[in-house]
Amino acid sequence: MTDPLFQPILINTMQVKNRIFMPAMHMNMAGNYAVTDRLVDFYAERAKGGAGMITVGYATVDELSGNPGNIGAHKDAYIPGLARLATAIRENGARASVQLNHAGRYNHSMLMGGKQPVAPSAIPSRLTRETPRELTIGEIREIIGRFAQAAGRVKEAGFDAVEILFGTGYLISEFLSPLTNKRSDEYGGPFENRIRFGLEVITAVRLAVGSTFPLLVRMNGNEFMKGGSSRQELQEYAVRLAGEGVDAICVNVGWHEAQVPQIASEVPRAVFAYLARAIKERVPVPVIASHRINDPEVARELLTDGVCDMVALGRALIADPFFPEKARCGRERDIVHCVACGQGCFDNLFKMKPVECLCNPRAGYESTRTIGRTDKPLQVMVVGGGPAGMEAALIAARRGHDVTLYEKAATLGGAYRLASTSPTKAETERLFVFFERALPKYGVTLALNTEVTPELVEQVKPDVAILATGSKPALPAKIPGVEGRNVVSARDIMSGTADVGDKVVIWTCSYMCSYTCGVKKAPIEGDPTGTNYKYSYACSAGYAAVDTAEYLASQGKLVSIVTEREGVVPGMGYTSRNYLIKRFYPANIRVCTGAKVKEINENGVVIDKAGIEFLLDADNVVISVGERSDVDLAKALDGKVRELYQVGDGAKIGNAMKAIESAFKVALEI
């Protein structure tokens, strides 16, 4: 049977070897607009992995269209770097294109040296909290010309195609939307006027690159903005774009301001593909579906059912660059699936950091984190089967060491596997399924139901011991009632070993716990008493608390979260937190911040908020106030093993991405 994923497709004069399209994603790997070695290495790896076509970007058309972390296409000086990137992608087997964009009101003045963002109208942005300056007619025409000039540079650099971003709340979609376009001239008002800017961009770009150079657009199938463009307008826009010479359309969804989750783990796979189908039914050019397509079977189904002509795999190829080749060769069980956590991709971007990946510690470090074979194989004992332990065992085995992984439970995954019990974290299970197959495949011996003691280590006599012993809950012993019969832990709930009543209070992130968020830092400026503390990333206790809250809410429980801090899960990334808070309201999960727990009794929790004490009634109280590294075994083995390492929460409390990264680094060193 012919695999629909691996059939060639023609876009204008360009033949693409398969139907797998890697869409443009901001990587924050450029340096002052210039293409870097890191960016080249990242995309070369994805081309080697078998993607049919890779689009990089977005790239800027002028200095108000982006920031120095974007790829630059607005000056001739950037052409050599673009050419190097195009060559790296093409020589490794994929077609290469660049996405051009102007951020409009989504740009930040602080990223542009204090310059004010521009837009069709002076409508404040809920994303940046800034008000842009309205463009003049002359400036609009200048920007149209800059799109054309940038496209010419893309072609000159040796790329196979160019793509223009028409959606997501950026400048071109700002002209289309009545929410952001209040103009009264020929670029505002009725639909015909609001599409004028976009159509003129296409006309100018087509003139710049010629009739045979492939020109794509990426546009919204639905903006999910109340009072914005309708689906019918967007579909008609697609028809008009195809009529103006666009050769293919990639359909995405939502603006950055939209309140509808688009890429979070609770979003079903390929749920927005129906928007691509609606456009495909109306245009004569290839249509590409995107968002939450992270499985080959889902991708094949979309193609077979005629939903689209190609599938966009974005974060799926960050997690596993060789996803396409594994699918082509019948090795689908070897694919490392994206679990849609957002920790290393979107969250990193809001921290102004380059993209990384929980599932793939090599993402963004392709040339510096190579997994080479050792010339001195060692006997390696890995203690603990959580994410860090599994990663350490797998990488050490891939390097040629003799590895045995010990886990005291009957299954792998550790405390992190409990997260997959949450209704919004089901994708997490895919990571553990991968490890359960990969570890034996690479020769790791699994010793489950085995608790490691100093005596066992003395008996085995390993050359290297890697301790991934995780953490222990930190208990606030000074609080009256903390050991009451109605008190349980988050782990007890998620593992199914404890039942609770209909009303539950979850106490999390207490300042009493010095282990919260990694380590207790010095008091911040203006707080000499040390009441508040800086933190660099989220404590696993905070994640456990919100996972438990969502799990209990899905069972119909009335859940309240109480925390002394200003928000649940301190240090959680912007996108993850944003989606979390949006889920809480419809799930009837209440959050009480800035509240100190004074006492737990049979009626609930006595809390102090702003100097006022009151009882928050509850049948049960779940404690998840902090974690402390489990270092008992490490202390017992000190000086008794030639090489002894601690990884994951056993070394430093953090999130799963930090745990896996620490294990990966150690496994490369031995």
Side-chain angles (χ1 to χ4, degrees), residues 643-658:
E643 291 186 47
L644 181 66
Y645 301 93
Q646 291 175 267
V647 298
D649 277 358
K652 184 177 182 180
I653 299 297
N655 57 27
M657 186 175 79
K658 293 294 183 183

Side-chain angles (χ1 to χ4, degrees), residues 553-594:
S554 71
Q555 297 180 330
K557 312 292 186 183
L558 177 61
V559 181
S560 301
I561 298 176
V562 174
T563 174
E564 288 184 56
R565 297 186 181 271
E566 68 274 17
V568 293
V569 198
M572 177 182 277
Y574 173 83
T575 50
S576 297
R577 179 184 296 279
N578 192 32
Y579 287 130
L580 180 74
I581 299 304
K582 287 176 183 176
R583 296 195 301 264
F584 276 5
Y585 181 78
N588 202 23
I589 297 172
R590 301 177 297 184
V591 179
C592 184
T593 59

Side-chain angles (χ1 to χ4, degrees), residues 221-521:
N222 193 327
E223 293 176 352
F224 289 128
M225 296 291 290
K226 187 177 181 180
S229 305
S230 67
R231 283 184 58 198
Q232 291 71 29
E233 283 185 331
L234 290 163
Q235 291 165 19
E236 179 59 26
Y237 202 8
V239 172
R240 298 292 292 273
L241 290 170
E244 290 293 323
V246 168
D247 297 308
I249 298 173
C250 183
V251 181
N252 72 345
V253 62
W255 284 19
H256 289 312
E257 297 170 74
Q259 298 300 300
V260 177
Q262 302 153 35
I263 47 83
S265 58
E266 73 266 23
V267 176
R269 296 176 195 164
V271 70
F272 299 118
Y274 72 96
L275 299 170
R277 182 197 289 272
I279 289 177
K280 176 176 167 56
E281 291 172 348
R282 298 196 59 187
V283 299
V285 298
V287 171
I288 306 163
S290 59
H291 285 289
R292 292 287 286 119
I293 304 172
N294 70 344
D295 182 84
E297 277 308 305
V298 172
R300 290 189 183 98
E301 184 177 345
L302 295 176
L303 295 168
T304 302
D305 291 349
V307 173
C308 56
D309 301 288
M310 296 185 77
V311 289
L313 304 182
R315 292 184 299 166
L317 295 184
I318 297 176
D320 193 338
F322 290 86
F323 178 121
E325 187 62 13
K326 290 175 181 178
R328 188 185 68 83
C329 296
R331 296 171 48 219
E332 294 182 13
R333 294 175 65 193
D334 294 336
I335 291 173
V336 181
H337 288 84
C338 167
V339 298
C341 68
Q343 290 182 21
C345 46
F346 288 97
D347 285 349
N348 263 22
L349 293 179
F350 280 96
K351 298 173 185 175
M352 304 302 293
K353 295 175 59 179
V355 163
E356 297 173 320
C357 182
L358 179 152
C359 301
N360 177 13
R362 290 192 65 237
Y365 301 92
E366 283 72 20
S367 64
T368 59
R369 294 182 180 177
T370 56
I371 306 173
R373 298 285 292 184
T374 181
D375 56 1
K376 295 180 179 179
L378 301 173
Q379 184 183 7
V380 178
M381 168 185 271
V382 179
V383 183
M390 293 188 292
E391 181 73 9
L394 178 61
I395 300 305
R398 288 180 60 183
R399 295 191 58 227
H401 295 296
D402 179 10
V403 183
T404 300
L405 172 60
Y406 294 82
E407 167 55 45
K408 62 183 178 181
T411 58
L412 296 172
Y416 186 51
R417 193 161 196 164
L418 299 178
S420 63
T421 307
S422 170
T424 63
K425 296 285 186 70
E427 286 280 7
T428 307
E429 183 68 17
R430 299 295 292 269
L431 182 63
F432 307 119
V433 171
F434 163 76
F435 276 117
E436 286 169 343
R437 171 174 167 78
L439 290 168
K441 178 180 177 180
Y442 283 97
V444 176
T445 300
L446 297 178
L448 302 178
N449 295 305
T450 304
E451 184 165 3
V452 174
T453 62
E455 292 73 25
L456 178 60
V457 177
E458 289 281 353
Q459 178 184 337
V460 174
K461 293 182 172 57
D463 299 308
V464 179
I466 301 176
L467 307 185
T469 47
S471 61
K472 296 179 179 180
L475 296 178
K478 296 181 181 179
I479 298 298
V482 74
E483 296 181 354
R485 290 181 298 176
N486 60 338
V487 176
V488 297
S489 72
R491 294 186 187 186
D492 289 337
I493 297 293
M494 300 301 278
S495 63
T497 59
D499 294 321
V500 294
D502 293 332
K503 292 181 291 184
V504 182
V505 169
I506 300 176
W507 179 20
T508 187
C509 294
S510 166
Y511 285 120
M512 294 180 64
C513 172
S514 62
Y515 302 93
T516 300
C517 307
V519 291
K520 194 172 185 179
K521 303 290 182 72

